[in-house]
Amino acid sequence: APTPAPTRASVWTSPVNDFSSLAVMESAGWVFSWNEATTFVAPGTSTRNACGGVPDSSYCGWMGSHAVGQISLQLSGSGYGTIDFGNSHNYASGKVTLYLNDDVLATAGELEVSHKASFSYKDGDTIRLVEDPAAIIVINSISIEPQAPVNDFSS
């Protein structure tokens, strides 16, 4: 039997949902506000112990010295998205906040490694994950579903 062609959603989803390395994430459009050893904490490293409960397939990282780090992704087209993100730090007042542009969509508190949020977006919107004041950013998955353009035949 022939292999079915990938759907448009899966073509858009796969690159931004690959957290296998910092280089892969950056090539998919993720932008990091800092660059240090803990920007991307690879599975199998001793530093990964700070990412307790986070699957190896997920992103885990933080900015050192209790500084505020953020990861962003600019979206193109329009459609709907769902992100499963979290905070694997045990600091009581630390949190990871999800923004769409400047609007807060959701917050993951202490040791909350999986928090799901859905959103609609338009061309040029940016999602951001911000750790403040001391948190560990976790991205388990993201799904971006572009909305097909609507043809206007009224003219």
Side-chain angles (χ1 to χ4, degrees):
T3 303
T7 64
R8 185 172 180 194
S10 68
V11 169
W12 280 66
T13 301
S14 57
V16 298
N17 201 41
D18 184 344
F19 310 116
S20 58
S21 74
L22 181 62
V24 165
M25 289 181 71
E26 288 177 328
S27 70
W30 292 101
V31 177
F32 297 80
S33 69
W34 76 102
N35 183 14
E36 55 190 51
T38 57
T39 302
F40 181 90
V41 182
T45 61
S46 60
T47 311
R48 188 74 177 198
N49 293 338
C51 306
V54 176
D56 286 350
S57 59
S58 298
Y59 166 81
C60 179
W62 66 91
M63 187 170 184
S65 304
H66 294 276
V68 176
Q70 76 173 10
I71 303 172
S72 60
L73 178 68
Q74 187 172 33
L75 304 168
S76 59
S78 63
Y80 304 95
T82 301
I83 187 168
D84 182 345
F85 73 102
N87 172 17
S88 66
H89 202 302
N90 63 356
Y91 187 63
S93 62
K95 63 184 186 262
V96 173
T97 304
L98 171 67
Y99 292 86
L100 178 66
N101 300 318
D102 293 323
D103 298 327
V104 173
L105 295 181
T107 301
E110 168 190 16
L111 297 175
E112 186 179 359
V113 297
S114 179
H115 186 99
K116 293 180 181 164
S118 296
F119 55 91
S120 59
Y121 67 91
K122 61 186 183 322
D123 196 47
D125 281 352
T126 299
I127 57 168
R128 293 183 295 131
L129 290 162
V130 180
E131 52 143 332
D132 185 29
I136 297 176
I137 299 173
V138 174
I139 309 173
N140 297 301
S141 65
I142 183 168
S143 173
I144 304 295
E145 299 177 29
Q147 191 172 37
V150 176
N151 293 321
D152 183 1
F153 298 108
S154 62
S155 49

